Amino acid sequence: MSDSLAGTAEVEPAAAQPGAAKPSAAIPRYVEPGQPFNRDTNYIEDRITRDARDGWPVEAGRYRLVAARACPWANRTTIVRRLLGLEGVISLGLPGPTHDKNSWTFDLDEGGLDPVLKIERLQQAYFARFPDYPRGITVPAIVEVASGKVVTNNYPQITLDFESEWVEFHRPGAPDLYPEAHRAEIDEVAELIFHDVNNGVYKCGFAGSQKSYDRAYDALFSRLDWLEDRLSTQRFLVGDTITEADVRLFTTLARFDAVYHGHFKCNRNKLSEMPVLWAYARDLFQTPGFGDTIDFDQIKAHYYVTHVDINPTGIIPKGPDARVWLEPHGRETLGGRPFGDGTAPGAPAAGEEVPTLG
């Protein structure tokens, strides 16, 4: 989904950034005066499974994942796809970080067209299947290449299905990100993180009243303190390996100091001022499959340009210096096996690299 309102496309202000969509006079608002932020969690619930129960079979080359670098929810899918080695099985389309009121656009591609789907807007894939689709045009989305129709945008289920339904296409040495023995705990931890952290930062940033902001702020930092304590004695959130729970937390932590601390008023402290969580986040960032999916320039462009009711000037901050993510973290002393019995993924696929920080 989009980084703001469960994927509802936003409109940039007149001061367009490189690679941004053309500005529009119709600027949606994300802060409803007097109201708390409520995320729309209604998605296209079709699944791609081995038994094709919804009519969509697991099949190499049949689908394209559309996932903007800017979006934390889409970022989950690109991480899991990398860790499991699905790059040669499910292709990746990358919209630009900003867009107009109608849709995410492929303005980073030559001619403004996705090179596989041959469309300018993700909206076209939604309308190809649902001509009167009434909800937000969200990333991540999986599109069937041959028909050009969106299959699903149910981001929590997409990664779980990558892990459990696409097993025959996992690379040799792919880690088990959703081990059966730990699924109940992974689900429990991930649910707490979603409400208080992943979505909690948005509840702060898009709060329409002081009361709703205060409530979200307190819940956010209470949960971060809980995580700081939990991770002080164990390297990863559940068990001794990286799991789906770590993926879900990481994409919010990666954006915290660059965006949420200032832009969303999550400013009790920076992530870099929480020693355990900061070391944990750096540990994951420096793990192949995590940091090599992060583009801080696109992240900042999305938030600071598209949320015009929060940042009406569209000015993008220059800081913080992202090279701090490469500093030693020392988490190896806690033990743990990042990939379990598996191995690290190889280098990113050609054309999928992000800017280096060194």
Side-chain angles (χ1 to χ4, degrees), residues 66-344:
V66 179
R69 294 284 189 204
C71 173
W73 318 95
N75 195 180
R76 297 178 180 187
T77 63
T78 57
I79 290 171
V80 171
R81 175 177 170 271
R82 281 270 294 122
L83 294 178
L84 299 180
L86 294 174
E87 294 97 325
V89 179
I90 305 169
S91 64
L92 178 64
L94 293 167
T98 62
H99 43 71
D100 63 22
K101 66 183 178 66
N102 295 315
S103 177
W104 293 89
T105 54
F106 295 98
D107 41 288
L108 300 180
D109 292 309
E110 184 176 356
L113 289 176
D114 178 90
V116 172
L117 300 174
K118 306 300 181 184
I119 57 176
E120 297 177 339
R121 301 172 175 278
L122 181 56
Q123 182 187 60
Q124 292 168 259
Y126 278 72
F127 286 178
R129 185 173 176 201
F130 305 107
D132 299 317
Y133 189 73
R135 315 197 77 85
I137 306 300
T138 67
V139 291
I142 296 182
V143 180
E144 185 183 41
V145 174
S147 68
K149 295 179 179 179
V150 67
V151 175
T152 182
N153 63 347
N154 189 354
Y155 75 95
Q157 192 62 51
I158 288 173
T159 52
L160 295 179
D161 285 342
F162 281 175
E163 293 153 5
S164 60
E165 297 292 335
W166 290 80
V167 176
E168 66 180 291
F169 293 108
H170 289 183
R171 64 177 175 85
D176 186 354
L177 299 176
Y178 198 45
E180 289 211 30
H182 293 294
R183 286 185 181 180
E185 186 177 4
I186 291 169
D187 292 345
E188 179 183 7
V189 171
E191 185 74 3
L192 294 172
I193 290 170
F194 170 75
H195 287 291
D196 295 339
V197 181
N198 301 144
N199 197 38
V201 294
Y202 291 93
K203 293 177 186 177
C204 291
F206 294 143
S209 72
Q210 189 68 51
K211 182 178 180 180
S212 60
Y213 166 77
D214 290 348
R215 185 185 302 115
Y217 178 100
D218 291 343
L220 167 64
F221 283 100
S222 175
R223 185 61 60 197
L224 290 177
D225 289 339
W226 179 82
L227 289 164
E228 181 92 345
D229 182 65
R230 182 183 182 93
L231 290 165
S232 65
T233 56
Q234 61 190 67
R235 190 170 177 185
F236 305 110
L237 281 171
V238 179
D240 67 348
T241 65
I242 291 168
T243 68
E244 172 79 14
D246 298 292
V247 174
R248 295 188 179 197
L249 176 58
F250 171 78
T251 60
T252 297
L253 298 183
R255 290 156 175 80
F256 200 91
D257 286 4
V259 177
Y260 304 140
H261 177 268
H263 185 60
F264 277 177
K265 306 180 185 71
C266 301
N267 62 355
R268 189 194 75 178
N269 52 259
K270 298 176 182 176
L271 175 66
S272 58
E273 295 166 346
M274 303 187 75
V276 173
L277 270 176
W278 176 225
Y280 164 83
R282 295 200 314 281
D283 186 4
L284 291 178
F285 186 90
Q286 294 169 32
T287 298
F290 284 83
D292 54 30
T293 69
I294 298 293
D295 186 322
F296 286 108
D297 288 340
Q298 288 201 33
I299 288 169
K300 290 193 294 184
H302 176 75
Y303 285 90
Y304 286 102
V305 170
T306 60
H307 300 159
V308 296
D309 46 354
I310 298 176
N311 187 41
T313 64
I315 293 172
I316 302 173
K318 293 185 70 174
D321 187 343
R323 289 174 295 182
V324 296
W325 283 91
L326 302 179
E327 295 177 353
H329 53 76
R331 297 280 291 177
E332 303 94 338
T333 59
L334 292 173
R337 304 174 301 141
F339 297 104
D341 295 328
T343 58

